[in-house]
Amino acid sequence: MIDIHCHILPGLDDGAKTMEETLEMLHIAKEKGITDIVATPHIYPEFYFPEMEKIFQIFGEVKEKVDGINLYLGTDIHFCPETLKYLREGRALTINNGNYVLIEPPEFFSEGELLQMLFQIRGEGYRPVITHPERYQIFREKKTLLFKIVEQGNFLQLTSASITGYFGETVQNFSKELIKEKIVHIIASDAHSPRRRIPFLKDAYDKVSEWAGESYSLYLQDNARRVLKNEELLEFERASIKKSFLKKFLEKIW
C-alpha cells in the first residue's frame, strides 16, 4: 500500500518531533502493510515554512535509516494567495517531483477564491489534490462545492482515520457519504505521530469495501500508485470496466 500524505520528517512541522518518533512511525507503517510513503511536511506560512535545504537534509537523513519502506518527498501546501508563487519558486514541492500537488484549504475561504486559485494552479500544469475535505464544515454544509471542484479537474483525498472514526461520527458519516457517491480519488494517512494519528491504510480500505464495494477500494489503491508515478487517474467507471474485462480474461486463461 502507498501513502501519499504523511508528516513523518522530524522537527519540521506538527508531525514527528524527533528521529525516534519518525522511526517508530516507519515501523508502524511497515507492520500495517505500507510499502511506500511520501513525506509531506507542511508549507504553511506564519506557522510551518521550513527552508528547502532543511527539508532535503532531513529527508536524506531519514532515508539512510529507512528499512523496508520506499520513501519519497512532497509537501502539504496550505492554500493561500502565494501558493502558486511558492510552487513556481520551488519553495513548495509536488509529490515525487511529478505534477500532483497536495493543497490544504484554510479553515475559512471564499468559494470563488478557491475555485479561481485551483484553476490557476491547473493552468500551470499541476494536478491539485484537495486534502481531507471531509473535515471541513463548509464542505459538509455545501457538498455541491466538492462536486464542482472535482468536475473542474481537481482530486479529493480523504484521511484514513476519518474513515475509521478517529475524528468523530460526523466526519466519519460524511466520509461514508462521499465514498458512496464515489467522488473520492485517494486515501492517505496524513499521519502525524506514532501514538495518536498513526500511519495506516488497510482498515480504511476495508471500510471502503464495506461501504462501496471492493472494486472501488482497489480503484483508490491504484490511484495512490498512479499519483506516485505521475500517471493519469482513471474515472471510476472506466477502472471498473477494465477490472471486469481483466477478470473475465483471466478466467478464460485459467
Side-chain angles (χ1 to χ4, degrees), residues 19 23 26 60-67:
M19 183 64 77
L23 296 177
L26 286 165
E61 291 172 1
V62 173
K63 278 202 78 169
E64 289 180 358
K65 299 177 183 295
V66 171
D67 179 27

Side-chain angles (χ1 to χ4, degrees), residues 152-201:
Q152 287 192 348
N154 308 290
F155 306 100
L156 305 183
Q157 175 252 299
L158 264 58
T159 300
S160 56
S162 297
I163 295 168
T164 58
Y166 174 83
F167 291 102
E169 188 176 350
T170 299
V171 171
Q172 185 182 36
N173 287 341
F174 189 53
S175 298
K176 182 177 183 179
E177 197 176 323
L178 295 177
I179 286 166
K180 292 183 82 169
E181 294 274 11
K182 296 184 172 66
I183 66 165
V184 177
H185 299 91
I186 305 150
I187 292 173
S189 77
D190 190 10
H192 279 65
S193 162
R195 284 171 292 281
R196 297 181 65 187
R197 294 175 63 180
I198 66 172
F200 75 93
L201 294 171

Side-chain angles (χ1 to χ4, degrees), residues 6-232:
C6 190
H7 296 268
I8 203 164
L9 298 184
L12 294 178
D13 57 14
D14 58 343
K17 292 178 172 54
T18 64
M19 183 64 77
E20 288 69 26
E21 285 197 349
T22 293
L23 296 177
E24 282 184 66
M25 290 174 72
L26 286 165
H27 176 74
I28 291 168
K30 185 177 177 181
E31 288 290 306
K32 291 188 173 293
I34 294 174
T35 57
D36 301 78
I37 291 177
V38 183
T40 54
H42 282 294
I43 297 298
Y44 192 169
E46 298 181 15
F47 289 93
Y48 310 106
F49 203 172
E51 294 292 334
M52 279 299 129
E53 267 188 37
K54 186 71 171 175
I55 291 176
F56 285 121
Q57 175 198 331
I58 292 178
F59 177 71
E61 291 172 1
V62 173
K63 278 202 78 169
E64 289 180 358
K65 299 177 183 295
V66 171
D67 179 27
I69 287 184
N70 301 309
L71 200 62
Y72 307 88
L73 193 56
T75 52
D76 181 14
I77 308 171
H78 190 78
F79 173 84
C80 67
E82 293 77 28
T83 295
L84 190 53
K85 175 176 178 284
Y86 296 148
L87 284 167
R88 287 169 176 161
E89 294 176 352
R91 299 187 70 193
L93 302 174
T94 58
I95 295 173
N96 194 26
N97 204 33
N99 297 110
Y100 291 95
V101 56
L102 297 182
I103 301 291
E104 178 183 37
E107 187 176 354
F108 304 102
F109 59 85
S110 153
E111 174 182 338
E113 287 177 349
L114 177 63
L115 293 175
Q116 179 62 25
M117 176 63 74
L118 292 174
F119 174 80
Q120 291 173 348
I121 291 173
R122 291 195 313 276
E124 297 272 336
Y126 299 106
R127 294 165 170 168
V129 177
I130 307 301
T131 63
H132 48 73
E134 75 281 5
R135 286 156 52 189
Y136 289 82
Q137 185 175 346
I138 185 171
F139 290 135
R140 293 197 295 271
E141 292 175 348
K142 195 173 183 181
K143 188 171 65 174
T144 53
L145 176 54
L146 285 179
F147 280 93
K148 195 178 295 185
I149 285 170
V150 170
E151 286 166 5
Q152 287 192 348
N154 308 290
F155 306 100
L156 305 183
Q157 175 252 299
L158 264 58
T159 300
S160 56
S162 297
I163 295 168
T164 58
Y166 174 83
F167 291 102
E169 188 176 350
T170 299
V171 171
Q172 185 182 36
N173 287 341
F174 189 53
S175 298
K176 182 177 183 179
E177 197 176 323
L178 295 177
I179 286 166
K180 292 183 82 169
E181 294 274 11
K182 296 184 172 66
I183 66 165
V184 177
H185 299 91
I186 305 150
I187 292 173
S189 77
D190 190 10
H192 279 65
S193 162
R195 284 171 292 281
R196 297 181 65 187
R197 294 175 63 180
I198 66 172
F200 75 93
L201 294 171
K202 185 180 183 302
D203 291 349
Y205 285 131
D206 288 345
K207 277 290 184 187
V208 172
S209 294
E210 177 187 331
W211 294 339
E214 184 186 9
S215 61
Y216 190 57
S217 176
L218 292 173
Y219 164 77
L220 295 175
Q221 293 177 58
D222 185 54
N223 276 354
R225 179 193 64 80
R226 287 176 175 274
V227 168
L228 184 63
K229 300 297 184 184
N230 200 36
E231 297 174 358
E232 183 179 354

